[in-house]
Amino acid sequence: MAQIAKSIKMGPGIEPDTQMGPLVSEEQLRLVTGYMESGEAEGATALAGGGRYGDRGYFVEPTVLTNTRPDMKVVREEIFGPVLVAAPFSDLDEIAAVANDSEFGLGAGIWTQDVKKAHAMAKKLKAGTVWINCYNVFDAALPFGGYKQSGWGREMATRRSTPTPR
């Protein structure tokens, strides 16, 4: 994961070879870098990234954090920036319990070569969208939303009703 993060081409969105652009604002830049500083202060290790990219704009390096604990802010909260926490686990129930022990639940990503495990894990997660071997890929035709403090209901959803008999 760290090698992939290090290989991501940063730059302006209008450049054809750019893979990741800047954050949307200075405020978001402060929030994301604040999360990374908090993680470092609590003992997390950045295997990739961990700071700003360049000296202009709102760019943040794609970051992979390890040596985290379930009680850390970077594990428990939604960062909305290019920060990933990679943590070892023994079984699916253990990691699902850690992932679900949050007041948030917008999205989750699973990376594995075992499709059976991926589907079993996806069923255990309380998240609006669960991606398998990809992230942040949406089908505009599907409803979107989160769980808990990450959203109520689904955008783009339709309610089906049974016609009233005559």
Side-chain angles (χ1 to χ4, degrees), residues 9-162:
K9 172 77 169 108
M10 304 284 296
I14 60 171
E15 303 270 334
D17 60 339
T18 292
Q19 293 175 295
M20 185 181 296
L23 297 174
V24 299
S25 67
E26 186 174 347
E27 178 183 3
Q28 190 63 22
L29 175 69
R30 281 194 306 272
L31 287 170
V32 172
T33 55
Y35 274 106
M36 292 187 299
E37 290 166 6
S38 168
E40 241 181 71
E42 293 181 291
T45 303
L47 291 183
R52 290 188 69 166
Y53 176 82
D55 58 356
R56 293 181 39 198
Y58 308 132
F59 293 92
V60 173
E61 298 171 314
T63 301
V64 177
L65 298 176
T66 61
N67 298 324
T68 59
R69 298 180 316 276
D71 64 316
M72 289 179 160
K73 190 174 179 178
V74 293
V75 175
R76 299 192 60 75
E77 296 187 16
E78 295 175 320
I79 297 176
F80 291 105
V83 181
L84 177 137
V85 172
F89 62 95
S90 299
D91 61 52
L92 297 184
D93 290 331
E94 173 195 354
I95 196 66
V98 171
N100 291 332
D101 183 26
S102 170
E103 62 186 86
F104 303 104
L106 186 59
I110 301 168
W111 280 267
T112 181
Q113 293 178 342
D114 188 330
V115 174
K116 188 175 178 180
K117 278 186 182 175
H119 285 268
M121 186 67 197
K123 288 178 185 175
K124 294 175 183 292
L125 295 175
K126 292 182 175 86
T129 301
V130 178
W131 292 278
I132 298 174
N133 293 336
C134 65
Y135 199 81
N136 208 28
V137 176
F138 292 95
D139 182 334
L142 295 177
F144 173 79
Y147 277 73
K148 306 179 221 176
Q149 294 299 314
S150 294
W152 302 97
R154 297 283 179 263
E155 291 183 25
M156 304 290 293
T158 59
R159 183 182 190 124
R160 294 182 183 213
S161 60
T162 306

